[in-house]
């Protein structure tokens, strides 16, 4: 989901009252243009996160958000340095600036598609994506300076456009796909340019200007229609992604479908493999197989003997829940094992559509009478259902797409946290089992999660060992991640039983499997080269020694710090990720200093240290608190689309109302009011750091609409209060005729948001989201100290 900075919550104020009073009132055309520019910026930002997720990696989708925030802020700096607000032909400049995003968005798309998507080209991707944001930020900044006397209506047009952009992204991506969605988004700034050009004073505008704007609009519409029909501009190669590796390995494979929604790209490829009908790729990388199946519960005949069918042996007719069934292989195996009803909990409708498209070839599995399909996020459903199951299974379910927090995600996954394992455990029957199939390296943290919560329930370490079994299909021969080798490690089963696993139960589960690599199983001799599990459960190794004994992090993962896949020692983040995060921070800070120094040498009055600290702290605090709120409420809403539409939309709306409410404060009241408002923000943020998790857990059993209402009620006060300090600060600064212009303050806030977004994620991985809230409160404390006198 896209992230908006506090900059978007400003209520632009006249720099100098006498000058502002002489400026014209914004026309309806200008208000519509502002709305379109704001909507296009937010939509382009969100679409970028999807493109980068599906072509490079989720880490870099996060950086795309920083590029967007930097572009908006940089646009304000350019207006400040070039003194465009004082230009005599300002009304001609505005249409030209509005045209630029409409021109640069298609240029960005066409340019990046000329080469395979590789991390080596990241700088080029980010520079190209920066340009539309820079142009859009400059256009909006100039509008606010030129029409300061009508700032309130301009501000509402700005936020209305951003809110409409939030609602529009799921529609445009679902209808066109991400590539054509970029072109469709470019229509909005082109339309804004047409409105500005035709409404400009005929005596001031060049005659060709309206024709240029109309020609650009027509060209973009033509591009949209052409690409939607013929797809000349589409992603064709990302060499590091599994989809393209698979197609190079199997030239005879056939693309069956390629569809996008706001949180994934789902590509179905018919497989030449005799055992599988097709392979479905999620964001071009993670995949799930679709089996040949005739719908007969007795098939496949050897289904009971498959390694992934081991958990289904707990009962003759097990009642099964499968979270993230994907291509439905586990569903078919559960039916073949005798399950009378399989509850399949799938979040992504595009995956279901891709499987069902194979019809009888795949047995129409999700329409099978033994299958109950539930469209929901797995963890959310488990927390809400009162039902008990003999088997709850997760087979390579990965939800670390850059969607749950608008791209500001690394590898957060609420399916594998300590609290999640506990929730699954509580939904098991007396002899039920939780089964998770992953790679060997992943088992370490699953064991740590189980030990952590079962210890809290009073079990000894020896007793806990009697409830856990973990085995691999074969000798892993190494302990590494899948990406470290072209050959995949063996599938590894982690099994947690509600009742003790006696040697007899273990023998029943593993009967017929002769070459298994036993990491830990009651009554079985473990593999000699992996002694940590045996030493832990025999009491020869403490839990702290266990978690420290591996070359990767093996500590428990919590909802507060849900980065299950962040296991690089010592901080959970690989050095190259930290380096890439350091690059934009360094660039942003250096560039900001250069611009401010250049402005001073050119005769401008740059903002003073106190002013920079105040508006910078607001930019940092707003973005940090916004990200933390989204993360805390992901689990409550249970679906990325709700997180996007509900939370972001509410923050935009609440911030606009907060700014409008603050307009009633008299100038002499601003300092005192700011003190009270920022103090309330600090209290609210500090309270949320400890109060939100239990509230969310308690509210999970509620229906969807009550949960949405609760999320809105919790988010609204944050947006309302955090939307006030920035416009109040601007108004107070505007009383000083020597103060820096709005465009400079706009830029400071924008670049601070870049730093804040990166800092927030790094801190979350290292310390958890509680500390992210604390950091947000400290930023607002700095704003309280430096608030305008």
């Amino acid at each position: 989901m896209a992230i908006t900075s506090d900059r978007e919550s400003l209520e632009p104020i006249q720099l100098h009252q006498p000058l502002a009073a002489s400026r014209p009132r914004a026309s309806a055309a200008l208000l519509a243009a502002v709305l379109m520019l704001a909507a296009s910026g937010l939509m382009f930002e969100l679409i970028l996160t999807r493109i980068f997720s599906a072509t490079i990696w989720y880490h870099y989708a996060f950086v795309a958000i920083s590029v967007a925030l930097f572009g908006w802020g940089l646009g304000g700096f350019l207006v400040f340095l070039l003194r465009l607000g004082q230009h005599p032909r300002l009304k001609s400049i505005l249409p030209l600036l509005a045209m630029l995003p409409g021109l640069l968005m298609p240029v960005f798309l066409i340019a990046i598609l000329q080469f395979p998507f590789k991390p080596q080209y990241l700088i080029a991707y980010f520079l190209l994506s920066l340009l539309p944001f820079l142009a859009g930020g400059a256009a909006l900044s100039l509008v606010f300076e030129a029409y300061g006397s009508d700032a309130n209506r301009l501000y509402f047009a700005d936020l209305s456009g951003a809110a409409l952009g939030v609602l529009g992204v799921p529609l445009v991506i679902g209808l066109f796909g991400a590539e054509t969605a970029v072109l469709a988004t470019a229509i909005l700034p082109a339309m804004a340019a047409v409105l500005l050009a035709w409404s400009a004073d005929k005596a001031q505008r060049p005659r060709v200007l309206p024709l240029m704007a109309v020609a650009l609009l027509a060209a973009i519409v033509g591009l949209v229609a052409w690409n939607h029909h013929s797809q000349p501009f589409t992603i064709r190669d990302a060499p590091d992604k599994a989809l393209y590796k698979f197609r190079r390995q199997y030239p005879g494979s056939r693309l069956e479908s390629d569809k996008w929604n706001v949180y994934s790209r789902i590509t179905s490829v018919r497989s030449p493999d005799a055992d599988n009908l097709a392979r479905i790729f999620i964001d071009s990388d993670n995949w799930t197989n679709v089996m040949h199946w005739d719908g007969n519960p007795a098939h496949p005949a050897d289904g009971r003997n498959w390694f992934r069918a081991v958990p289904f042996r707990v009962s003759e007719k097990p009642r099964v829940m499968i979270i993230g069934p994907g291509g439905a292989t586990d569903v078919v195996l559960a039916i073949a094992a005798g399950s009378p009803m399989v509850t399949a909990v799938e979040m992504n409708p595009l995956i279901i559509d891709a499987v069902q498209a194979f019809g009888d070839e795949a047995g129409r599995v999700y329409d099978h009478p033994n299958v109950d399909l539930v469209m929901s996020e797995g963890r959310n459903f488990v927390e809400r259902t009162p039902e008990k199951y003999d088997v709850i299974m997760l087979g390579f379910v990965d939800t670390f797409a850059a969607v749950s927090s608008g791209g500001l995600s690394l590898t957060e996954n609420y399916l594998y946290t300590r609290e999640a394992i506990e929730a699954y455990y509580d939904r098991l029957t007396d002899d039920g089992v939780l089964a998770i199939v992953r790679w060997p390296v992943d088992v370490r943290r699953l064991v740590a999660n189980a030990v952590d919560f079962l210890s809290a329930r009073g079990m000894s370490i020896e007793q806990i060992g009697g409830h856990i079994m973990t085995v691999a299909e074969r000798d892993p021969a190494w302990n590494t991640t899948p990406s470290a080798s072209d050959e995949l490690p063996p599938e590894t089963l982690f099994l947690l039983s509600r009742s003790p696993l006696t040697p007899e139960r273990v023998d029943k589960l593993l009967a017929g499997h002769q070459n298994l690599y036993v990491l830990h199983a009651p009554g079985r001799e473990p593999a000699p080269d992996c002694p940590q599990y045996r030493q832990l459960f025999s009491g020869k190794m403490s839990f702290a020694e266990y978690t420290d004994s591996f070359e990767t992090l093996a500590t428990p993962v919590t909802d507060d710090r849900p980065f299950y896949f962040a296991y690089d020692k010592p901080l959970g983040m690989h050095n190259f990720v930290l380096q890439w995060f350091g690059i934009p921070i360094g660039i942003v800070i250096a560039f900001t200093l250069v611009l401010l120094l250049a402005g001073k040498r050119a005769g401008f009055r740059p903002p003073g240290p106190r002013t920079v600290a105040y508006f910078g702290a607001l930019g940092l605090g707003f973005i940090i608190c916004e990200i933390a709120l989204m993360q805390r409420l992901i689990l409550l809403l249970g679906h990325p689309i709700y997180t996007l539409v509900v939370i972001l939309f509410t923050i935009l709306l609440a911030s606009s109302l907060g700014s409008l409410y603050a307009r009633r404060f008299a100038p002499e009241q601003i300092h005192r009011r700011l003190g009270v408002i920022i103090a309330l923000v600090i209290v609210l943020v500090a309270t949320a750091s400890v109060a939100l998790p239990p509230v969310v857990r308690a509210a999970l059993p509620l229906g969807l609409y009550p949960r949405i209402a609760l999320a809105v009620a919790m988010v609204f006060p944050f947006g309302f209060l955090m939307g006030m300090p920035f416009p109040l600060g601007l108004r107070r600064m505007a009383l000083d005729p020597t103060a820096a212009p709005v465009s400079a303050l706009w830029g400071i806030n924008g670049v601070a948001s870049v730093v804040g977004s990166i800092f927030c994620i790094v801190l979350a991985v290292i310390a958890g989201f509680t500390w992210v809230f604390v950091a947000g409160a400290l930023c607002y404390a700095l704003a309280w100290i430096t608030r305008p006198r």
Side-chain angles (χ1 to χ4, degrees):
M1 129 181 354
I3 300 298
T4 60
S5 73
D6 193 16
R7 173 206 45 86
E8 291 186 40
S9 299
L10 64 87
E11 176 187 337
I13 305 299
Q14 307 93 319
L15 291 179
H16 307 291
Q17 300 295 340
L19 178 60
S22 65
R23 290 176 178 172
R25 190 168 183 262
S27 64
L30 182 63
L31 294 173
V34 169
L35 183 147
M36 293 175 187
L37 285 169
S40 68
L42 197 66
M43 292 175 68
F44 184 52
E45 177 184 339
L46 281 166
I47 296 168
L48 274 184
T49 66
R50 286 282 76 242
I51 290 176
F52 287 138
S53 291
T55 55
I56 310 175
W57 198 240
Y58 303 112
H59 308 333
Y60 306 122
F62 150 76
V63 183
I65 304 298
S66 298
V67 170
L69 297 173
F70 183 44
W72 287 118
L74 183 59
F77 276 130
L78 290 181
V79 170
F80 163 60
L81 290 177
L82 299 176
R83 302 186 182 185
L84 294 181
Q86 304 172 23
H87 199 283
R89 300 184 69 88
L90 183 143
K91 290 187 177 180
S92 296
I93 295 175
L94 273 176
L96 289 172
L97 282 178
M99 278 187 234
L100 284 176
L103 176 65
L104 292 170
M105 288 179 191
V107 168
F108 160 79
L109 178 68
I110 295 170
I112 65 171
L113 293 176
Q114 300 309 303
F115 307 96
F117 282 87
K118 295 182 178 180
Q120 296 92 313
Y121 302 147
L122 278 175
I123 297 298
Y125 300 150
F126 295 150
L127 288 177
L128 286 169
S129 63
L130 175 69
L131 297 177
F133 293 114
L134 189 152
L140 288 174
S141 176
L142 183 57
V143 168
F144 282 117
E145 284 208 3
Y147 294 87
S149 61
D150 207 7
N152 293 325
R153 293 203 304 156
L154 288 173
Y155 167 70
F156 276 109
D158 181 24
L159 274 190
S160 297
L164 289 175
V166 170
L167 300 178
V169 166
L171 299 177
V172 72
I173 290 183
L175 180 62
F176 294 119
E179 304 98 331
T180 309
V182 171
L183 302 176
T185 300
I187 291 176
L188 293 174
M191 291 176 62
V194 170
L195 289 173
L196 292 171
W198 283 100
S199 62
D201 189 346
K202 293 182 179 180
Q204 292 188 18
R205 77 183 187 203
R207 293 183 180 180
V208 73
L209 192 59
L211 298 178
M212 289 172 57
V214 171
L216 176 64
L217 177 59
I220 295 172
V221 172
L223 273 175
V224 171
W226 182 31
N227 204 53
H228 185 55
H229 181 265
S230 304
Q231 295 189 330
F233 308 119
T234 188
I235 299 168
R236 302 191 187 280
D237 193 15
D240 294 334
K241 287 286 192 173
L243 166 63
Y244 301 98
K245 290 180 180 179
F246 181 80
R247 301 208 67 187
R248 284 193 298 271
Q249 183 179 359
Y250 300 102
S253 60
R254 186 171 77 244
L255 184 69
E256 292 290 329
S257 65
D258 188 18
K259 296 182 180 180
W260 297 74
N261 57 26
V262 76
Y263 51 92
S264 67
R265 177 197 187 192
I266 303 300
T267 308
S268 174
V269 180
R270 188 173 286 268
S271 174
D273 184 354
D275 293 331
N276 293 301
L277 175 62
R279 183 169 288 188
I280 297 174
F281 292 88
I282 301 97
D283 277 348
S284 311
D285 210 64
N286 300 319
W287 74 83
T288 176
N289 288 321
V290 181
M291 292 177 57
H292 290 281
W293 192 48
D294 58 5
N296 187 338
H299 296 160
D302 64 341
R304 290 174 178 263
N305 298 322
W306 286 32
F307 177 72
R308 293 178 73 125
V310 164
F312 305 136
R313 296 181 176 185
V314 298
S315 170
E316 290 300 319
K317 294 183 178 181
R319 189 175 183 198
V320 177
M321 177 201 292
I322 297 176
I323 295 175
T329 296
D330 293 329
V331 175
V332 172
L333 294 178
I335 294 173
S339 176
M341 181 56 63
V342 179
T343 301
V345 185
E346 177 57 59
M347 180 180 71
N348 198 328
L350 294 185
I351 293 180
I352 302 300
D353 293 344
V355 175
Q356 294 294 77
F358 290 103
D360 292 334
E361 291 182 280
R364 301 188 183 277
V365 58
Y366 286 117
D367 291 332
H368 196 276
N370 288 30
V371 177
D372 177 22
L373 176 62
V374 177
M375 296 305 301
S376 178
E377 192 274 330
R379 169 75 183 282
N380 181 274
F381 177 77
V382 167
E383 296 274 10
R384 291 186 293 109
T385 182
E387 303 296 328
K388 300 279 188 176
Y389 297 88
D390 298 309
V391 179
I392 296 178
M393 186 169 186
L394 296 85
F396 288 102
V397 185
D398 295 329
T399 62
F400 51 95
V403 297
S404 56
S405 56
L408 289 176
S409 59
L410 290 176
T411 54
E412 77 269 14
N413 194 315
Y414 290 93
L415 291 174
Y416 299 124
T417 64
R418 174 200 183 279
E419 293 86 350
I421 302 298
E422 187 173 9
Y424 304 146
Y425 185 85
D426 289 338
R427 294 296 177 270
L428 296 174
T429 58
D430 290 342
D431 290 324
V433 296
L434 165 65
I436 299 177
V437 180
R438 292 211 59 86
W439 308 120
V441 70
D442 299 323
V443 170
R444 304 162 183 176
R445 303 195 96 165
L446 294 174
V447 170
N449 286 343
V451 170
D452 194 40
F453 96 81
L454 289 175
S455 297
R457 294 194 175 190
M459 282 193 189
S460 68
I461 194 67
E462 291 81 5
Q463 290 174 320
I464 295 172
H467 288 255
I468 292 176
M469 180 181 77
T470 177
V471 294
E473 271 190 300
R474 54 179 171 78
D475 187 345
W478 65 85
N479 289 313
T480 187
T481 58
S483 60
S485 172
D486 291 334
E487 182 183 359
L488 293 177
E491 292 186 352
T492 305
L493 172 66
F494 167 83
L495 193 144
L496 175 64
S497 175
R498 181 85 184 188
S499 59
L501 287 167
T502 63
E504 293 74 22
R505 287 189 71 195
V506 172
D507 290 341
K508 178 182 177 182
L509 290 170
L510 301 183
H513 294 277
Q514 303 299 324
N515 299 316
L516 294 178
Y517 185 83
V518 178
L519 299 173
H520 172 76
R524 293 287 182 105
E525 188 67 23
D529 55 345
C530 193
Q532 290 95 331
Y533 302 104
R534 181 176 188 175
Q535 292 176 3
L536 171 67
F537 293 126
S538 65
K540 296 179 180 179
M541 176 185 286
S542 69
F543 186 52
E545 290 173 331
Y546 165 82
T547 60
D548 194 49
S549 64
F550 298 99
E551 73 278 8
T552 60
L553 289 178
T555 50
V557 183
T558 65
D559 284 349
D560 185 59
R561 192 182 172 193
F563 300 93
Y564 174 80
F565 299 102
Y567 39 56
D568 289 287
K569 284 187 173 180
L571 301 176
M573 301 184 72
H574 197 281
N575 286 337
F576 88 90
V577 177
L578 292 172
Q579 291 168 3
W580 272 111
F581 285 176
I583 289 174
I585 289 180
I587 292 175
V588 164
I589 295 175
F591 204 79
T592 302
L593 291 175
V594 168
L595 287 176
L596 291 176
L597 291 175
K600 185 174 182 179
R601 291 180 63 87
F604 296 101
R605 179 182 175 89
R610 186 183 181 92
T611 302
V612 172
Y614 176 75
F615 288 99
L618 291 181
L620 288 167
F622 194 97
I623 198 80
I624 287 172
C625 293
E626 185 182 30
I627 295 171
L629 277 172
M630 291 184 186
Q631 287 288 348
R632 282 289 194 231
L633 296 177
I634 287 173
L635 184 59
L636 175 66
L637 296 179
H639 202 287
I641 193 65
Y642 298 136
T643 308
L644 171 69
V645 173
V646 174
I647 299 179
L648 187 55
F649 183 85
T650 301
I651 289 175
L652 290 170
L653 177 63
S655 296
S656 68
L657 294 177
S659 181
L660 182 63
Y661 180 83
R663 181 169 172 259
R664 67 182 62 192
F665 301 151
E668 61 272 13
Q669 296 178 316
I670 289 179
H671 178 77
R672 180 171 57 85
R673 296 282 189 174
L674 275 176
V676 175
I677 292 166
I678 298 176
L680 287 175
V681 171
I682 295 170
V683 172
L684 190 62
V685 173
T687 302
S689 68
V690 295
L692 276 184
V695 170
V696 169
R697 292 293 296 273
L700 281 174
L702 299 175
L704 175 61
Y705 293 113
R707 282 183 283 123
I708 289 177
L710 178 61
V712 170
M714 289 191 291
V715 168
F716 193 91
F718 284 88
F720 188 80
L721 289 173
M722 293 192 302
M724 296 184 191
F726 193 59
L728 284 176
L730 285 176
R731 183 187 301 179
R732 188 67 186 87
M733 296 293 292
L735 298 177
D736 182 0
T738 63
V742 167
S743 54
L745 305 179
W746 174 295
I748 291 170
N749 189 259
V751 297
S753 298
V754 178
V755 177
S757 63
I758 296 174
F759 171 77
C760 173
I761 294 302
V762 172
L763 181 61
V765 172
I766 294 173
F769 283 103
T770 296
W771 283 101
V772 173
F773 275 104
V774 171
L778 291 175
C779 289
Y780 276 100
L782 176 60
W784 188 90
I785 294 170
T786 59
R787 67 192 188 277
R789 298 187 181 93

